[in-house]
Amino acid sequence: AQSVTQLDSHVSVSEGTPVLLRCNYSSSYSPSLFWYVQHPNKGLQLLLKYTSAATLVKGINGFEAEFKKSETSFHLTKPSAHMSDAAEYFCVVTSYNQGGKLIFGQGTELSVKP
Amino acid sequence: EADIYQTPRYLVIGTGKKITLECSQTMGHDKMYWYQQDPGMELHLIHYSYGVNSTEKGDLSSESTVSRIRTEHFPLTLESARPSHTSQYLCASSESEPIDGTDTQYFGPGTRLTVL
């Protein structure tokens, strides 16, 4: 069985400060993990993905995430928040035997204050 | 440019009407998916397809139906819309990575449906 838990439903940061969005997963198989971002009234955009290569994954717009198997975590970080980062972020888990189906976390809403 | 398209982007319709939400992709992907998403909530898979003439129900029960007659096209139909169908519907497509067999899904912009 697979599941994913996003530990914060809402995170608020000031522009220029670091961003940390937390995600823990559970998987009976070697997981593939993703972070997607959704801006208001838009579809989901892939930020980055981990598929058993390097544990530190760099994505678009300065975001990165580190896969920590011992902690079953895949937290998303960015050194300096920008106003345009304000959006909903989804952590997602799957594995090779899921036929392409994804398991979504509940989402974390990121607010960025000027 | 390879992409995934959904039309209409917004639809307001009365109860009892039949509607079809369109989804097309130009990426040549075999797999396609429909998700339902209520405001501020996670996505729930309602239908998926692994190729032409293949359709399956997802994890969330839905009164909608889908068809896959062409690889690039995966429309979703509601025979009789009800207010409970008000939601955002997102379409996605994917193909398996040759190295490890996992898929990366790419999403369309979504259709926001309101049934009065």
Side-chain angles (χ1 to χ4, degrees), chain A residues 8 10-22 35 47 61-65 75-87 89 108-113:
Chain A
D8 307 291
H10 185 259
V11 169
S12 181
V13 301
S14 297
E15 190 174 22
T17 64
V19 175
L20 170 64
L21 305 184
R22 299 182 295 164
W35 277 98
L47 272 180
N61 300 335
F63 284 95
E64 62 182 37
H75 301 334
L76 181 71
T77 60
K78 183 174 181 177
S80 176
H82 192 272
M83 296 296 292
S84 61
D85 294 329
Y89 291 79
T108 297
E109 183 182 358
L110 175 65
S111 299
V112 182
K113 298 175 290 188

PDB file of all heavy atoms in Angstrom, chain A residues 8 10-22 35 47 61-65 75-87 89 108-113:
ATOM      1  N   ASP A   8       1.714  20.001   6.653  1.00  0.00           N
ATOM      2  CA  ASP A   8       1.165  21.342   6.867  1.00  0.00           C
ATOM      3  C   ASP A   8       0.138  21.639   5.788  1.00  0.00           C
ATOM      4  O   ASP A   8       0.440  21.506   4.605  1.00  0.00           O
ATOM      5  CB  ASP A   8       2.275  22.402   6.805  1.00  0.00           C
ATOM      6  CG  ASP A   8       3.416  22.081   7.748  1.00  0.00           C
ATOM      7  OD1 ASP A   8       3.197  22.154   8.970  1.00  0.00           O
ATOM      8  OD2 ASP A   8       4.510  21.727   7.260  1.00  0.00           O
ATOM      9  N   HIS A  10      -1.125  24.626   5.460  1.00  0.00           N
ATOM     10  CA  HIS A  10      -0.863  26.005   5.030  1.00  0.00           C
ATOM     11  C   HIS A  10       0.474  26.456   5.605  1.00  0.00           C
ATOM     12  O   HIS A  10       0.755  26.224   6.791  1.00  0.00           O
ATOM     13  CB  HIS A  10      -1.980  26.931   5.510  1.00  0.00           C
ATOM     14  CG  HIS A  10      -1.845  28.322   5.004  1.00  0.00           C
ATOM     15  ND1 HIS A  10      -1.346  29.357   5.766  1.00  0.00           N
ATOM     16  CD2 HIS A  10      -2.100  28.869   3.783  1.00  0.00           C
ATOM     17  CE1 HIS A  10      -1.320  30.472   5.047  1.00  0.00           C
ATOM     18  NE2 HIS A  10      -1.770  30.195   3.843  1.00  0.00           N
ATOM     19  N   VAL A  11       1.282  27.070   4.745  1.00  0.00           N
ATOM     20  CA  VAL A  11       2.568  27.638   5.163  1.00  0.00           C
ATOM     21  C   VAL A  11       2.619  29.079   4.671  1.00  0.00           C
ATOM     22  O   VAL A  11       2.278  29.361   3.514  1.00  0.00           O
ATOM     23  CB  VAL A  11       3.750  26.830   4.567  1.00  0.00           C
ATOM     24  CG1 VAL A  11       5.062  27.560   4.781  1.00  0.00           C
ATOM     25  CG2 VAL A  11       3.806  25.434   5.179  1.00  0.00           C
ATOM     26  N   SER A  12       3.049  29.960   5.552  1.00  0.00           N
ATOM     27  CA  SER A  12       3.161  31.369   5.192  1.00  0.00           C
ATOM     28  C   SER A  12       4.596  31.834   5.429  1.00  0.00           C
ATOM     29  O   SER A  12       5.147  31.590   6.517  1.00  0.00           O
ATOM     30  CB  SER A  12       2.189  32.209   6.030  1.00  0.00           C
ATOM     31  OG  SER A  12       2.268  33.580   5.666  1.00  0.00           O
ATOM     32  N   VAL A  13       5.199  32.455   4.426  1.00  0.00           N
ATOM     33  CA  VAL A  13       6.566  32.958   4.543  1.00  0.00           C
ATOM     34  C   VAL A  13       6.608  34.381   4.004  1.00  0.00           C
ATOM     35  O   VAL A  13       5.705  34.810   3.278  1.00  0.00           O
ATOM     36  CB  VAL A  13       7.583  32.077   3.777  1.00  0.00           C
ATOM     37  CG1 VAL A  13       7.555  30.647   4.301  1.00  0.00           C
ATOM     38  CG2 VAL A  13       7.319  32.115   2.280  1.00  0.00           C
ATOM     39  N   SER A  14       7.661  35.080   4.339  1.00  0.00           N
ATOM     40  CA  SER A  14       7.895  36.401   3.776  1.00  0.00           C
ATOM     41  C   SER A  14       8.764  36.276   2.527  1.00  0.00           C
ATOM     42  O   SER A  14       9.598  35.369   2.413  1.00  0.00           O
ATOM     43  CB  SER A  14       8.585  37.307   4.799  1.00  0.00           C
ATOM     44  OG  SER A  14       7.761  37.512   5.921  1.00  0.00           O
ATOM     45  N   GLU A  15       8.561  37.181   1.611  1.00  0.00           N
ATOM     46  CA  GLU A  15       9.355  37.178   0.385  1.00  0.00           C
ATOM     47  C   GLU A  15      10.837  37.264   0.738  1.00  0.00           C
ATOM     48  O   GLU A  15      11.236  38.048   1.603  1.00  0.00           O
ATOM     49  CB  GLU A  15       8.951  38.355  -0.511  1.00  0.00           C
ATOM     50  CG  GLU A  15       9.537  38.314  -1.904  1.00  0.00           C
ATOM     51  CD  GLU A  15       8.995  39.409  -2.801  1.00  0.00           C
ATOM     52  OE1 GLU A  15       8.512  40.430  -2.252  1.00  0.00           O
ATOM     53  OE2 GLU A  15       9.036  39.257  -4.029  1.00  0.00           O
ATOM     54  N   GLY A  16      11.641  36.420   0.064  1.00  0.00           N
ATOM     55  CA  GLY A  16      13.072  36.415   0.315  1.00  0.00           C
ATOM     56  C   GLY A  16      13.529  35.470   1.400  1.00  0.00           C
ATOM     57  O   GLY A  16      14.732  35.265   1.572  1.00  0.00           O
ATOM     58  N   THR A  17      12.595  34.864   2.139  1.00  0.00           N
ATOM     59  CA  THR A  17      12.963  33.903   3.189  1.00  0.00           C
ATOM     60  C   THR A  17      12.820  32.474   2.658  1.00  0.00           C
ATOM     61  O   THR A  17      12.141  32.248   1.647  1.00  0.00           O
ATOM     62  CB  THR A  17      12.095  34.088   4.437  1.00  0.00           C
ATOM     63  OG1 THR A  17      10.730  33.797   4.116  1.00  0.00           O
ATOM     64  CG2 THR A  17      12.203  35.501   4.968  1.00  0.00           C
ATOM     65  N   PRO A  18      13.438  31.503   3.350  1.00  0.00           N
ATOM     66  CA  PRO A  18      13.383  30.117   2.845  1.00  0.00           C
ATOM     67  C   PRO A  18      11.980  29.509   2.937  1.00  0.00           C
ATOM     68  O   PRO A  18      11.174  29.861   3.799  1.00  0.00           O
ATOM     69  CB  PRO A  18      14.363  29.374   3.760  1.00  0.00           C
ATOM     70  CG  PRO A  18      15.239  30.431   4.337  1.00  0.00           C
ATOM     71  CD  PRO A  18      14.378  31.649   4.457  1.00  0.00           C
ATOM     72  N   VAL A  19      11.759  28.551   2.051  1.00  0.00           N
ATOM     73  CA  VAL A  19      10.505  27.795   2.031  1.00  0.00           C
ATOM     74  C   VAL A  19      10.804  26.337   2.375  1.00  0.00           C
ATOM     75  O   VAL A  19      11.770  25.754   1.872  1.00  0.00           O
ATOM     76  CB  VAL A  19       9.852  27.848   0.631  1.00  0.00           C
ATOM     77  CG1 VAL A  19       8.614  26.964   0.586  1.00  0.00           C
ATOM     78  CG2 VAL A  19       9.499  29.287   0.260  1.00  0.00           C
ATOM     79  N   LEU A  20       9.965  25.757   3.249  1.00  0.00           N
ATOM     80  CA  LEU A  20      10.038  24.337   3.565  1.00  0.00           C
ATOM     81  C   LEU A  20       8.622  23.784   3.570  1.00  0.00           C
ATOM     82  O   LEU A  20       7.791  24.183   4.387  1.00  0.00           O
ATOM     83  CB  LEU A  20      10.690  24.099   4.933  1.00  0.00           C
ATOM     84  CG  LEU A  20      10.602  22.661   5.473  1.00  0.00           C
ATOM     85  CD1 LEU A  20      11.360  21.693   4.569  1.00  0.00           C
ATOM     86  CD2 LEU A  20      11.127  22.578   6.908  1.00  0.00           C
ATOM     87  N   LEU A  21       8.334  22.854   2.668  1.00  0.00           N
ATOM     88  CA  LEU A  21       7.051  22.161   2.626  1.00  0.00           C
ATOM     89  C   LEU A  21       7.338  20.685   2.899  1.00  0.00           C
ATOM     90  O   LEU A  21       8.103  20.057   2.180  1.00  0.00           O
ATOM     91  CB  LEU A  21       6.375  22.345   1.267  1.00  0.00           C
ATOM     92  CG  LEU A  21       6.177  23.785   0.801  1.00  0.00           C
ATOM     93  CD1 LEU A  21       5.414  23.805  -0.525  1.00  0.00           C
ATOM     94  CD2 LEU A  21       5.468  24.625   1.837  1.00  0.00           C
ATOM     95  N   ARG A  22       6.676  20.155   3.936  1.00  0.00           N
ATOM     96  CA  ARG A  22       7.031  18.822   4.419  1.00  0.00           C
ATOM     97  C   ARG A  22       6.123  17.740   3.862  1.00  0.00           C
ATOM     98  O   ARG A  22       4.905  17.922   3.760  1.00  0.00           O
ATOM     99  CB  ARG A  22       6.998  18.814   5.948  1.00  0.00           C
ATOM    100  CG  ARG A  22       8.001  19.792   6.574  1.00  0.00           C
ATOM    101  CD  ARG A  22       7.970  19.701   8.072  1.00  0.00           C
ATOM    102  NE  ARG A  22       6.690  20.119   8.627  1.00  0.00           N
ATOM    103  CZ  ARG A  22       6.289  19.855   9.867  1.00  0.00           C
ATOM    104  NH1 ARG A  22       7.065  19.134  10.674  1.00  0.00           N
ATOM    105  NH2 ARG A  22       5.128  20.298  10.314  1.00  0.00           N
ATOM    106  N   TRP A  35       6.767  16.372  -6.777  1.00  0.00           N
ATOM    107  CA  TRP A  35       6.096  17.573  -6.290  1.00  0.00           C
ATOM    108  C   TRP A  35       5.494  18.288  -7.500  1.00  0.00           C
ATOM    109  O   TRP A  35       6.174  18.512  -8.516  1.00  0.00           O
ATOM    110  CB  TRP A  35       7.067  18.519  -5.582  1.00  0.00           C
ATOM    111  CG  TRP A  35       7.319  18.180  -4.152  1.00  0.00           C
ATOM    112  CD1 TRP A  35       8.374  17.481  -3.637  1.00  0.00           C
ATOM    113  CD2 TRP A  35       6.507  18.547  -3.025  1.00  0.00           C
ATOM    114  NE1 TRP A  35       8.265  17.386  -2.267  1.00  0.00           N
ATOM    115  CE2 TRP A  35       7.132  18.038  -1.867  1.00  0.00           C
ATOM    116  CE3 TRP A  35       5.318  19.267  -2.880  1.00  0.00           C
ATOM    117  CZ2 TRP A  35       6.609  18.215  -0.578  1.00  0.00           C
ATOM    118  CZ3 TRP A  35       4.802  19.450  -1.608  1.00  0.00           C
ATOM    119  CH2 TRP A  35       5.441  18.924  -0.482  1.00  0.00           C
ATOM    120  N   LEU A  47       7.021  20.092 -10.685  1.00  0.00           N
ATOM    121  CA  LEU A  47       8.168  20.832 -10.172  1.00  0.00           C
ATOM    122  C   LEU A  47       9.440  19.998 -10.241  1.00  0.00           C
ATOM    123  O   LEU A  47      10.484  20.474 -10.669  1.00  0.00           O
ATOM    124  CB  LEU A  47       7.939  21.207  -8.706  1.00  0.00           C
ATOM    125  CG  LEU A  47       7.212  22.498  -8.377  1.00  0.00           C
ATOM    126  CD1 LEU A  47       7.116  22.645  -6.867  1.00  0.00           C
ATOM    127  CD2 LEU A  47       7.914  23.708  -8.983  1.00  0.00           C
ATOM    128  N   ASN A  61      12.301  26.596 -11.138  1.00  0.00           N
ATOM    129  CA  ASN A  61      12.052  27.783 -10.305  1.00  0.00           C
ATOM    130  C   ASN A  61      12.814  27.774  -8.983  1.00  0.00           C
ATOM    131  O   ASN A  61      12.366  28.379  -8.010  1.00  0.00           O
ATOM    132  CB  ASN A  61      10.550  27.950 -10.028  1.00  0.00           C
ATOM    133  CG  ASN A  61       9.745  28.110 -11.309  1.00  0.00           C
ATOM    134  OD1 ASN A  61      10.267  28.555 -12.327  1.00  0.00           O
ATOM    135  ND2 ASN A  61       8.496  27.721 -11.276  1.00  0.00           N
ATOM    136  N   GLY A  62      13.963  27.117  -8.941  1.00  0.00           N
ATOM    137  CA  GLY A  62      14.813  27.128  -7.756  1.00  0.00           C
ATOM    138  C   GLY A  62      14.419  26.174  -6.651  1.00  0.00           C
ATOM    139  O   GLY A  62      15.011  26.190  -5.576  1.00  0.00           O
ATOM    140  N   PHE A  63      13.418  25.339  -6.873  1.00  0.00           N
ATOM    141  CA  PHE A  63      12.998  24.367  -5.866  1.00  0.00           C
ATOM    142  C   PHE A  63      13.869  23.111  -5.913  1.00  0.00           C
ATOM    143  O   PHE A  63      14.385  22.745  -6.961  1.00  0.00           O
ATOM    144  CB  PHE A  63      11.538  23.957  -6.088  1.00  0.00           C
ATOM    145  CG  PHE A  63      10.546  24.989  -5.649  1.00  0.00           C
ATOM    146  CD1 PHE A  63      10.030  25.905  -6.558  1.00  0.00           C
ATOM    147  CD2 PHE A  63      10.126  25.050  -4.327  1.00  0.00           C
ATOM    148  CE1 PHE A  63       9.121  26.865  -6.159  1.00  0.00           C
ATOM    149  CE2 PHE A  63       9.205  26.007  -3.924  1.00  0.00           C
ATOM    150  CZ  PHE A  63       8.705  26.915  -4.836  1.00  0.00           C
ATOM    151  N   GLU A  64      14.029  22.490  -4.779  1.00  0.00           N
ATOM    152  CA  GLU A  64      14.680  21.192  -4.710  1.00  0.00           C
ATOM    153  C   GLU A  64      14.073  20.373  -3.585  1.00  0.00           C
ATOM    154  O   GLU A  64      13.397  20.912  -2.703  1.00  0.00           O
ATOM    155  CB  GLU A  64      16.195  21.325  -4.536  1.00  0.00           C
ATOM    156  CG  GLU A  64      16.654  22.013  -3.277  1.00  0.00           C
ATOM    157  CD  GLU A  64      18.182  22.124  -3.247  1.00  0.00           C
ATOM    158  OE1 GLU A  64      18.803  22.350  -4.303  1.00  0.00           O
ATOM    159  OE2 GLU A  64      18.730  21.977  -2.145  1.00  0.00           O
ATOM    160  N   ALA A  65      14.285  19.060  -3.648  1.00  0.00           N
ATOM    161  CA  ALA A  65      13.759  18.167  -2.625  1.00  0.00           C
ATOM    162  C   ALA A  65      14.782  17.061  -2.379  1.00  0.00           C
ATOM    163  O   ALA A  65      15.509  16.665  -3.285  1.00  0.00           O
ATOM    164  CB  ALA A  65      12.431  17.566  -3.061  1.00  0.00           C
ATOM    165  N   HIS A  75      10.869  16.293   1.558  1.00  0.00           N
ATOM    166  CA  HIS A  75      10.519  17.690   1.801  1.00  0.00           C
ATOM    167  C   HIS A  75      10.983  18.585   0.641  1.00  0.00           C
ATOM    168  O   HIS A  75      12.069  18.399   0.087  1.00  0.00           O
ATOM    169  CB  HIS A  75      11.149  18.185   3.097  1.00  0.00           C
ATOM    170  CG  HIS A  75      10.740  17.399   4.303  1.00  0.00           C
ATOM    171  ND1 HIS A  75       9.551  16.696   4.391  1.00  0.00           N
ATOM    172  CD2 HIS A  75      11.388  17.203   5.485  1.00  0.00           C
ATOM    173  CE1 HIS A  75       9.475  16.106   5.557  1.00  0.00           C
ATOM    174  NE2 HIS A  75      10.564  16.390   6.252  1.00  0.00           N
ATOM    175  N   LEU A  76      10.169  19.581   0.363  1.00  0.00           N
ATOM    176  CA  LEU A  76      10.448  20.540  -0.718  1.00  0.00           C
ATOM    177  C   LEU A  76      10.999  21.825  -0.117  1.00  0.00           C
ATOM    178  O   LEU A  76      10.442  22.337   0.859  1.00  0.00           O
ATOM    179  CB  LEU A  76       9.163  20.838  -1.493  1.00  0.00           C
ATOM    180  CG  LEU A  76       9.264  21.797  -2.678  1.00  0.00           C
ATOM    181  CD1 LEU A  76      10.011  21.134  -3.826  1.00  0.00           C
ATOM    182  CD2 LEU A  76       7.873  22.233  -3.135  1.00  0.00           C
ATOM    183  N   THR A  77      12.071  22.342  -0.702  1.00  0.00           N
ATOM    184  CA  THR A  77      12.686  23.565  -0.178  1.00  0.00           C
ATOM    185  C   THR A  77      13.019  24.532  -1.302  1.00  0.00           C
ATOM    186  O   THR A  77      13.146  24.152  -2.471  1.00  0.00           O
ATOM    187  CB  THR A  77      13.985  23.258   0.602  1.00  0.00           C
ATOM    188  OG1 THR A  77      14.917  22.620  -0.283  1.00  0.00           O
ATOM    189  CG2 THR A  77      13.719  22.354   1.787  1.00  0.00           C
ATOM    190  N   LYS A  78      13.145  25.793  -0.896  1.00  0.00           N
ATOM    191  CA  LYS A  78      13.611  26.830  -1.795  1.00  0.00           C
ATOM    192  C   LYS A  78      14.316  27.872  -0.945  1.00  0.00           C
ATOM    193  O   LYS A  78      13.766  28.268   0.099  1.00  0.00           O
ATOM    194  CB  LYS A  78      12.463  27.461  -2.579  1.00  0.00           C
ATOM    195  CG  LYS A  78      12.912  28.515  -3.583  1.00  0.00           C
ATOM    196  CD  LYS A  78      11.760  29.020  -4.443  1.00  0.00           C
ATOM    197  CE  LYS A  78      12.256  30.063  -5.442  1.00  0.00           C
ATOM    198  NZ  LYS A  78      11.203  30.545  -6.355  1.00  0.00           N
ATOM    199  N   PRO A  79      15.490  28.312  -1.322  1.00  0.00           N
ATOM    200  CA  PRO A  79      16.254  29.210  -0.432  1.00  0.00           C
ATOM    201  C   PRO A  79      15.589  30.573  -0.216  1.00  0.00           C
ATOM    202  O   PRO A  79      15.705  31.147   0.861  1.00  0.00           O
ATOM    203  CB  PRO A  79      17.591  29.388  -1.183  1.00  0.00           C
ATOM    204  CG  PRO A  79      17.666  28.268  -2.139  1.00  0.00           C
ATOM    205  CD  PRO A  79      16.256  27.928  -2.520  1.00  0.00           C
ATOM    206  N   SER A  80      14.897  31.073  -1.243  1.00  0.00           N
ATOM    207  CA  SER A  80      14.361  32.426  -1.156  1.00  0.00           C
ATOM    208  C   SER A  80      13.019  32.493  -1.878  1.00  0.00           C
ATOM    209  O   SER A  80      12.956  32.312  -3.096  1.00  0.00           O
ATOM    210  CB  SER A  80      15.352  33.408  -1.780  1.00  0.00           C
ATOM    211  OG  SER A  80      14.831  34.715  -1.793  1.00  0.00           O
ATOM    212  N   ALA A  81      11.966  32.734  -1.124  1.00  0.00           N
ATOM    213  CA  ALA A  81      10.621  32.742  -1.705  1.00  0.00           C
ATOM    214  C   ALA A  81      10.378  33.988  -2.537  1.00  0.00           C
ATOM    215  O   ALA A  81      10.846  35.094  -2.215  1.00  0.00           O
ATOM    216  CB  ALA A  81       9.580  32.660  -0.589  1.00  0.00           C
ATOM    217  N   HIS A  82       9.612  33.795  -3.593  1.00  0.00           N
ATOM    218  CA  HIS A  82       9.191  34.891  -4.467  1.00  0.00           C
ATOM    219  C   HIS A  82       7.676  34.952  -4.418  1.00  0.00           C
ATOM    220  O   HIS A  82       7.003  33.944  -4.198  1.00  0.00           O
ATOM    221  CB  HIS A  82       9.680  34.615  -5.892  1.00  0.00           C
ATOM    222  CG  HIS A  82       9.559  35.784  -6.804  1.00  0.00           C
ATOM    223  ND1 HIS A  82       8.429  36.046  -7.532  1.00  0.00           N
ATOM    224  CD2 HIS A  82      10.428  36.776  -7.102  1.00  0.00           C
ATOM    225  CE1 HIS A  82       8.600  37.144  -8.242  1.00  0.00           C
ATOM    226  NE2 HIS A  82       9.808  37.609  -8.005  1.00  0.00           N
ATOM    227  N   MET A  83       7.148  36.146  -4.655  1.00  0.00           N
ATOM    228  CA  MET A  83       5.692  36.308  -4.617  1.00  0.00           C
ATOM    229  C   MET A  83       4.992  35.334  -5.556  1.00  0.00           C
ATOM    230  O   MET A  83       3.906  34.828  -5.253  1.00  0.00           O
ATOM    231  CB  MET A  83       5.306  37.741  -4.974  1.00  0.00           C
ATOM    232  CG  MET A  83       5.785  38.789  -3.995  1.00  0.00           C
ATOM    233  SD  MET A  83       5.045  38.605  -2.366  1.00  0.00           S
ATOM    234  CE  MET A  83       3.347  39.026  -2.720  1.00  0.00           C
ATOM    235  N   SER A  84       5.617  35.043  -6.681  1.00  0.00           N
ATOM    236  CA  SER A  84       4.998  34.151  -7.670  1.00  0.00           C
ATOM    237  C   SER A  84       4.967  32.692  -7.217  1.00  0.00           C
ATOM    238  O   SER A  84       4.360  31.855  -7.888  1.00  0.00           O
ATOM    239  CB  SER A  84       5.736  34.255  -9.002  1.00  0.00           C
ATOM    240  OG  SER A  84       7.086  33.867  -8.838  1.00  0.00           O
ATOM    241  N   ASP A  85       5.624  32.388  -6.095  1.00  0.00           N
ATOM    242  CA  ASP A  85       5.599  31.012  -5.568  1.00  0.00           C
ATOM    243  C   ASP A  85       4.298  30.700  -4.836  1.00  0.00           C
ATOM    244  O   ASP A  85       4.032  29.530  -4.496  1.00  0.00           O
ATOM    245  CB  ASP A  85       6.777  30.779  -4.629  1.00  0.00           C
ATOM    246  CG  ASP A  85       8.114  30.834  -5.343  1.00  0.00           C
ATOM    247  OD1 ASP A  85       8.166  30.463  -6.532  1.00  0.00           O
ATOM    248  OD2 ASP A  85       9.095  31.269  -4.703  1.00  0.00           O
ATOM    249  N   ALA A  86       3.504  31.711  -4.550  1.00  0.00           N
ATOM    250  CA  ALA A  86       2.243  31.485  -3.829  1.00  0.00           C
ATOM    251  C   ALA A  86       1.331  30.596  -4.656  1.00  0.00           C
ATOM    252  O   ALA A  86       0.964  30.937  -5.790  1.00  0.00           O
ATOM    253  CB  ALA A  86       1.565  32.811  -3.546  1.00  0.00           C
ATOM    254  N   ALA A  87       0.988  29.432  -4.110  1.00  0.00           N
ATOM    255  CA  ALA A  87       0.226  28.428  -4.867  1.00  0.00           C
ATOM    256  C   ALA A  87      -0.057  27.261  -3.939  1.00  0.00           C
ATOM    257  O   ALA A  87       0.325  27.252  -2.772  1.00  0.00           O
ATOM    258  CB  ALA A  87       1.014  27.950  -6.086  1.00  0.00           C
ATOM    259  N   TYR A  89       0.700  23.234  -3.333  1.00  0.00           N
ATOM    260  CA  TYR A  89       1.748  22.276  -3.675  1.00  0.00           C
ATOM    261  C   TYR A  89       1.305  20.873  -3.239  1.00  0.00           C
ATOM    262  O   TYR A  89       0.828  20.676  -2.128  1.00  0.00           O
ATOM    263  CB  TYR A  89       3.060  22.647  -2.985  1.00  0.00           C
ATOM    264  CG  TYR A  89       3.663  23.914  -3.546  1.00  0.00           C
ATOM    265  CD1 TYR A  89       3.181  25.163  -3.166  1.00  0.00           C
ATOM    266  CD2 TYR A  89       4.707  23.862  -4.468  1.00  0.00           C
ATOM    267  CE1 TYR A  89       3.723  26.331  -3.698  1.00  0.00           C
ATOM    268  CE2 TYR A  89       5.254  25.013  -4.995  1.00  0.00           C
ATOM    269  CZ  TYR A  89       4.752  26.243  -4.610  1.00  0.00           C
ATOM    270  OH  TYR A  89       5.289  27.387  -5.136  1.00  0.00           O
ATOM    271  N   THR A 108      -0.487  21.520   0.264  1.00  0.00           N
ATOM    272  CA  THR A 108      -0.059  22.582   1.169  1.00  0.00           C
ATOM    273  C   THR A 108      -0.184  23.908   0.423  1.00  0.00           C
ATOM    274  O   THR A 108       0.370  24.063  -0.665  1.00  0.00           O
ATOM    275  CB  THR A 108       1.405  22.405   1.611  1.00  0.00           C
ATOM    276  OG1 THR A 108       1.538  21.186   2.345  1.00  0.00           O
ATOM    277  CG2 THR A 108       1.850  23.581   2.486  1.00  0.00           C
ATOM    278  N   GLU A 109      -0.934  24.805   1.027  1.00  0.00           N
ATOM    279  CA  GLU A 109      -1.076  26.131   0.428  1.00  0.00           C
ATOM    280  C   GLU A 109       0.059  27.020   0.926  1.00  0.00           C
ATOM    281  O   GLU A 109       0.230  27.203   2.129  1.00  0.00           O
ATOM    282  CB  GLU A 109      -2.416  26.749   0.791  1.00  0.00           C
ATOM    283  CG  GLU A 109      -2.643  28.112   0.127  1.00  0.00           C
ATOM    284  CD  GLU A 109      -3.964  28.738   0.542  1.00  0.00           C
ATOM    285  OE1 GLU A 109      -4.716  28.113   1.307  1.00  0.00           O
ATOM    286  OE2 GLU A 109      -4.225  29.861   0.096  1.00  0.00           O
ATOM    287  N   LEU A 110       0.824  27.549  -0.009  1.00  0.00           N
ATOM    288  CA  LEU A 110       1.935  28.443   0.344  1.00  0.00           C
ATOM    289  C   LEU A 110       1.517  29.891   0.091  1.00  0.00           C
ATOM    290  O   LEU A 110       1.115  30.244  -1.021  1.00  0.00           O
ATOM    291  CB  LEU A 110       3.173  28.112  -0.490  1.00  0.00           C
ATOM    292  CG  LEU A 110       4.369  29.055  -0.309  1.00  0.00           C
ATOM    293  CD1 LEU A 110       4.912  28.947   1.118  1.00  0.00           C
ATOM    294  CD2 LEU A 110       5.468  28.747  -1.319  1.00  0.00           C
ATOM    295  N   SER A 111       1.607  30.686   1.132  1.00  0.00           N
ATOM    296  CA  SER A 111       1.373  32.130   1.008  1.00  0.00           C
ATOM    297  C   SER A 111       2.707  32.842   1.141  1.00  0.00           C
ATOM    298  O   SER A 111       3.542  32.455   1.973  1.00  0.00           O
ATOM    299  CB  SER A 111       0.422  32.612   2.106  1.00  0.00           C
ATOM    300  OG  SER A 111      -0.825  31.964   2.011  1.00  0.00           O
ATOM    301  N   VAL A 112       2.914  33.888   0.349  1.00  0.00           N
ATOM    302  CA  VAL A 112       4.150  34.665   0.406  1.00  0.00           C
ATOM    303  C   VAL A 112       3.792  36.121   0.669  1.00  0.00           C
ATOM    304  O   VAL A 112       3.080  36.745  -0.127  1.00  0.00           O
ATOM    305  CB  VAL A 112       4.957  34.544  -0.897  1.00  0.00           C
ATOM    306  CG1 VAL A 112       6.258  35.323  -0.786  1.00  0.00           C
ATOM    307  CG2 VAL A 112       5.236  33.075  -1.226  1.00  0.00           C
ATOM    308  N   LYS A 113       4.278  36.630   1.797  1.00  0.00           N
ATOM    309  CA  LYS A 113       3.983  38.015   2.192  1.00  0.00           C
ATOM    310  C   LYS A 113       5.070  38.942   1.669  1.00  0.00           C
ATOM    311  O   LYS A 113       6.241  38.587   1.657  1.00  0.00           O
ATOM    312  CB  LYS A 113       3.887  38.103   3.713  1.00  0.00           C
ATOM    313  CG  LYS A 113       2.778  37.260   4.323  1.00  0.00           C
ATOM    314  CD  LYS A 113       2.826  37.294   5.840  1.00  0.00           C
ATOM    315  CE  LYS A 113       4.033  36.536   6.360  1.00  0.00           C
ATOM    316  NZ  LYS A 113       4.022  36.387   7.840  1.00  0.00           N
TER     317      LYS A 113
END
